[in-house]
C-alpha cells in the first residue's frame, strides 16, 4: 500500500541482573540408565525467580529442549511457562 510505513519494533528493556544465580548440570536416567542431560539455571530477582533449561534425551524418548523457561513470583507462585523443542523430530512451541 502506498504511504504505509512500518513502525519500528519496540526494544525490550534488558532484564536486571539477578540477585543470585546457580547452574545445575543434570544427568537424566530412565530405568537406571542415563538417557540424556539437562542444563538448569535458577536465578533469583527482586520480584521473583526464573528457572531455565536446555537439554537432550536420547532413545527411546527422542526429546530436545532448546529453551525452557519458568517464571515465579518471589513466593513461588507460577507466572509463565515457555518451551521450544522437539520430540522425535516434531517441533513444538
Amino acid at each position: 500500500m502506498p504511504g504505509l510505513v512500518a513502525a519500528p519494533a519496540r526494544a525490550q528493556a534488558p532484564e536486571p541482573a539477578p540477585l543470585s544465580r546457580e547452574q545445575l548440570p543434570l544427568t537424566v536416567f530412565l530405568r537406571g540408565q542415563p538417557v540424556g542431560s539437562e542444563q538448569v539455571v535458577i536465578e533469583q530477582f527482586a520480584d521473583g525467580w526464573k528457572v531455565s533449561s536446555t537439554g537432550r534425551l536420547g532413545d527411546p524418548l527422542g526429546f530436545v529442549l532448546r529453551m525452557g523457561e519458568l517464571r515465579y513470583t518471589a513466593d513461588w507462585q507460577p507466572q509463565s511457562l515457555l518451551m521450544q523443542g522437539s520430540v522425535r523430530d516434531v517441533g513444538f512451541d
Side-chain angles (χ1 to χ4, degrees), residues 6-88:
R10 286 188 184 174
Q12 285 188 339
E15 188 169 65
L19 303 173
S20 67
R21 184 176 199 273
E22 185 166 354
Q23 288 187 250
L24 305 166
L26 303 174
T27 300
V28 179
F29 292 84
L30 178 64
R31 298 185 187 108
Q33 299 297 315
V35 292
S37 63
E38 292 285 324
Q39 296 295 319
V40 179
V41 176
I42 301 172
E43 296 174 296
Q44 181 183 15
F45 295 90
D47 63 347
W49 298 83
K50 179 170 82 170
V51 179
S52 52
S53 180
T54 60
R56 181 177 299 272
L57 306 178
D59 291 334
L61 304 171
F63 180 79
V64 176
L65 181 62
R66 285 186 292 282
M67 186 276 296
E69 180 182 286
L70 298 112
R71 289 190 177 260
Y72 298 91
T73 61
D75 63 350
W76 287 99
Q77 297 299 309
Q79 295 296 297
S80 65
L81 167 65
L82 299 171
M83 293 178 71
Q84 293 179 343
S86 62
V87 178
R88 295 185 190 95

